């Protein structure tokens, strides 16, 4: 279990990025022996990691256009975006490198965080010099909410080079009346979500996959394990996930 607490340095680094740190739940299957040798706890700083280290990254929620300046997508760490003044929200996670992890941002609590109100899109990011950022991905608007995401980290010699969302496809929800295919992902009607008149916990779940090499050039391969596991039920590994989320996820795997 590794939940990043922003240090004061990191607060400064991210002050431009977002105003609120969300309540986070990080579920990791095990803590590897050997421990965490990565002393970088800030999402807006560069780190070189090895397998088993913690790795801090951020997820910013805002409108799609808020992630661009002059037609170029900048890192949420870049002050030119002024995300905080646009009402963006920030979540910070510290999963273990090359461990299969499922992260969630709890949106089901009454009066809690609502991704649609924050603009409906999210970008994952880490680093300053390399400033890796994923493309913006649709999460929620008043019509639809996507609840299941796969985020791929590509490292080269332990430095994050690239972050991207892997669309889960819509075969799992085809023919199900409460679901629609949005950008190659299953989206549930927002009206079905708790807090919107429905009963489904629509908290977004983010499954992580690692690829490339660590700083000792050891190959990261949790991506391979995830693709192998997807045909069964990854969620079964995370028995401490709340029932509503688990049963919702079981639709997708
Ligand atoms: C989110 O928080 C609510 C209220 O505290 C709780 O009932 C729900 O189970 C939580 N969901 C997840 C996925 O942790
Ligand atoms: C919600 O998003 C979907 C998919 O991008 C889009 O087709 C739809 O028009 C949007 N609805 C609203 C009310 O913005
Ligand atoms: C979504 O809402 C509709 C209308 O209230 C309901 O018929 C349907 O069963 C709900 N779907 C889920 C998955 O809760």
């Amino acid at each position: 279990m590794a939940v990043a607490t922003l240090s004061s340095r990191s607060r400064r680094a991210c002050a431009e990025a977002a105003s609120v740190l969300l309540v986070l739940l990080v579920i990791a299957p095990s803590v590897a022996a050997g421990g965490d040798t990565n002393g970088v706890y800030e999402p807006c700083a560069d780190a070189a990691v090895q397998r088993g280290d913690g790795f801090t990254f951020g997820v910013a929620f805002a409108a799609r256009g808020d992630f661009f300046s002059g037609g170029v997508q900048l890192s949420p760490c870049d002050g030119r975006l002024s995300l905080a003044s646009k009402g963006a929200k920030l979540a910070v996670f510290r999963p273990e490198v090359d461990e299969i992890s499922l992260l969630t941002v709890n949106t089901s609590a009454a009066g809690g965080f609502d991704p649609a109100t924050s603009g409906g899109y999210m970008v994952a990011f880490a680093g300053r010099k390399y400033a890796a950022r994923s493309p913006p991905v649709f999460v929620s608007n008043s019509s639809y909410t996507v609840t299941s995401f796969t985020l791929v980290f590509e490292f080269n010699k332990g430095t994050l080079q690239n972050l991207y969302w892997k669309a889960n496809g819509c075969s799992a929800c085809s023919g199900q009346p409460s679901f629609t295919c949005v950008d190659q992902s299953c989206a549930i009607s927002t009206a079905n979500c708790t807090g919107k008149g429905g009963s489904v916990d629509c908290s977004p779940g983010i499954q992580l996959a690692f690829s490339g090499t660590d700083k000792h050039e050891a190959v990261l391969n949790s991506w391979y394990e995830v693709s192998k596991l997807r045909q069964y039920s990854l969620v079964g590994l995370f028995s401490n996930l709340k029932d509503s989320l688990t049963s919702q996820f079981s639709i997708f795997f």
Side-chain angles (χ1 to χ4, degrees):
M1 170 91 183
V3 177
T5 309
L6 282 178
S7 68
S8 55
R9 269 173 72 206
S10 123
R11 275 183 209 283
R12 272 201 307 280
C14 288
E16 294 290 340
S19 50
V20 176
L21 181 65
L22 302 166
V23 177
L24 306 172
L25 174 64
V26 179
I27 296 134
S30 64
V31 176
D36 184 351
T37 67
N38 174 19
V40 177
Y41 286 84
E42 307 160 30
C44 296
D46 293 311
V49 295
Q50 63 185 33
R51 289 184 73 170
D53 278 352
F55 181 78
T56 303
F57 74 100
V59 176
F61 293 85
R64 192 177 187 287
D66 292 346
F67 294 109
F68 293 82
S69 174
V72 176
Q73 191 196 342
L74 301 178
S75 165
C77 300
D78 192 317
R80 285 174 289 174
L81 292 181
S82 306
L83 283 178
S85 68
K86 293 171 182 156
K89 296 281 188 284
L90 170 70
V92 177
F93 299 97
R94 190 173 171 89
E96 198 176 310
V97 172
D98 213 25
E99 281 291 324
I100 294 176
S101 305
L102 181 63
L103 315 177
T104 184
V105 180
N106 192 331
T107 60
S108 74
F113 170 61
D114 176 0
T117 308
S118 294
Y121 282 76
M122 67 179 171
V123 163
F125 63 94
R128 176 160 296 279
K129 183 178 167 212
Y130 292 93
R133 66 270 188 189
S134 73
V137 69
F138 173 79
V139 184
S140 179
N141 63 17
S142 57
S143 311
Y144 308 114
T145 298
V146 177
T147 59
S148 176
F149 298 89
T150 300
L151 178 62
V152 182
F153 291 76
E154 271 181 12
F155 285 90
N156 182 25
K157 295 182 184 164
T159 299
L160 186 64
Q161 305 288 308
N162 199 9
L163 272 171
Y164 62 92
W165 303 102
K166 182 108 174 62
N168 288 331
C170 293
S171 56
C173 59
S174 68
Q176 297 205 36
S178 308
F179 291 85
T180 309
C181 193
V182 176
D183 297 345
Q184 286 308 302
S185 292
C186 292
I188 193 166
S189 304
T190 299
N192 282 107
C193 299
T194 52
K196 307 288 182 209
S199 58
V200 176
D201 185 341
C202 295
S203 299
I206 304 172
Q207 174 192 319
L208 305 184
F210 292 87
S211 65
T213 51
D214 80 354
K215 66 180 179 188
H216 306 301
E217 302 201 35
V219 172
L220 307 173
N221 61 8
S222 73
W223 172 237
Y224 167 70
E225 295 176 37
V226 167
S227 32
K228 221 170 39 161
L229 280 165
R230 281 174 74 84
Q231 55 188 307
Y232 309 109
S233 174
L234 184 65
V235 163
L237 296 172
F238 303 100
S239 54
N240 49 349
L241 266 181
K242 295 285 181 291
D243 282 350
S244 64
L245 189 69
T246 308
S247 54
Q248 194 191 351
F249 262 86
S250 65
I251 296 168
F252 300 108
F253 290 102

